[in-house]
Amino acid sequence: MEDLKEIFETNQKLWNTKTPIHVKSDFYNMDRFMRGETSLRKIELDLLPDLSNMDVLHPQCHFGQDTLSMERRGANCTGVDFSTVAVQKANEIRDSLNLRSEFICCNVLEMDQYIDKQFDIVYCSYGIITWFPDLEVWAKQIAKRLKPGGNFYFVEFHPVFYMFDWETDQMAFDYFNSGKPEIEIEKGTYADNGAEIEMKEYYWMHSLSEIFNALTKAGLSVDDFQEYDYSPYKIFKNCKTRGEQEYIYQPTKGKIPHVFSMVARKKK
Ligand SMILES: C[S@@+](CC[C@H](N)C(=O)[O-])C[C@H]1O[C@@H](n2cnc3c(N)ncnc32)[C@H](O)[C@@H]1O
């Protein structure tokens, strides 16, 4: 197996290739975004506080839609992503909208080498932790960037939901982190199934206990935790639409958690 440096380089190439496809996709609907519509989903809109004048750090910001959506709600935002293409696109979109968020290109696991500032809020969402082998390193980076008393707002796909292969509808993955990455050749992307890309990716599974323990060990206390029986994104074929932004994965007979949200506070 490749070492971690090579793994991150492979994943970085993957995201550099995906980004232009995502920018053009119906999924990310840039027309609506440019006209002023928020890219934030109802789950995080209900979770986040009034963002007026808040300093917000947004790790894994992709090409910046959520970051800029938070700026439109009054926040002073900094987005971070390791995809050079995504950060360049985020800067272009920011400039064409006359907004002022800052975008920094680096590995989230090395943020402390690039950012000194501490923030009122760190916000991360959807498709974040599978890219990291070790959540303790990740959680420490989040905690370091929060002011004492600051809050980490986190919305993520649920580890139970990640156990399914959404193409074959089989329960195909472990719930727990085996320490070894899953290696897959991804065809298409979640935002455009038919896109002509076929690329290697590495990712890791993380259980809820691993997530909680990593954040607690980094000095955060979890104040709120919710589980949702739907996804606000249609990212699987076998899908029932229940309401606006409520997509339910069909193959399971009983209800399963699709997404969780969490608010964790850095101790003063
Ligand atoms: C699924 S996307 C984030 C989704 C985001 N909520 C959105 O829809 O815009 C994951 C992002 O994480 C970034 N990423 C993955 N691993 C990373 C790492 N180690 N450091 C920084 N960014 C990383 C990718 O470049 C990608 O932009």
Side-chain angles (χ1 to χ4, degrees), residues 39-90:
S39 59
L40 298 166
R41 310 277 98 181
K42 193 173 172 314
I43 293 177
E44 51 268 24
L45 286 170
D46 288 347
L47 192 73
L48 286 166
D50 178 0
L51 295 178
S52 310
N53 297 317
M54 291 281 186
D55 290 336
V56 176
L57 177 68
H58 181 204
Q60 288 165 270
C61 62
H62 202 20
F63 59 93
Q65 279 194 341
D66 283 2
T67 321
L68 297 168
S69 293
M70 288 189 284
E71 181 181 339
R72 283 169 168 164
R73 297 176 81 80
N76 312 309
C77 293
T78 303
V80 173
D81 206 282
F82 76 168
S83 160
T84 47
V85 176
V87 167
Q88 193 189 341
K89 196 70 211 171

Side-chain angles (χ1 to χ4, degrees), residues 8 15 28 60-62 66 80-83 86 106-109 125-128 131-132 190 233:
F8 284 133
W15 283 102
Y28 280 99
Q60 288 165 270
C61 62
H62 202 20
D66 283 2
V80 173
D81 206 282
F82 76 168
S83 160
C106 72
N107 191 324
V108 162
L109 301 185
S125 72
Y126 306 106
I128 295 305
W131 305 107
F132 303 129
Y190 60 87
Y233 291 109

Side-chain angles (χ1 to χ4, degrees), residues 27-45:
F27 184 96
Y28 280 99
N29 204 325
M30 276 303 287
D31 283 348
R32 282 217 303 251
F33 179 76
M34 295 307 278
R35 286 201 300 271
E37 196 165 293
T38 184
S39 59
L40 298 166
R41 310 277 98 181
K42 193 173 172 314
I43 293 177
E44 51 268 24
L45 286 170

Side-chain angles (χ1 to χ4, degrees), residues 1 4 7-8 11 107 109 128-138 177-181 202-206 210:
M1 195 186 75
L4 263 186
I7 287 180
F8 284 133
N11 285 347
N107 191 324
L109 301 185
I128 295 305
I129 48 177
T130 49
W131 305 107
F132 303 129
D134 180 344
L135 292 191
E136 287 195 8
V137 178
W138 166 76
N177 187 354
S178 67
K180 291 196 190 118
Y202 293 88
Y203 56 91
W204 292 263
M205 308 300 285
H206 300 289
E210 190 188 351

Side-chain angles (χ1 to χ4, degrees), residues 111-112 114-119 144-145:
M111 277 193 302
D112 56 352
Y114 297 80
I115 309 170
D116 288 331
K117 186 175 162 178
Q118 289 190 313
F119 296 80
K144 273 190 188 171
R145 299 277 61 82

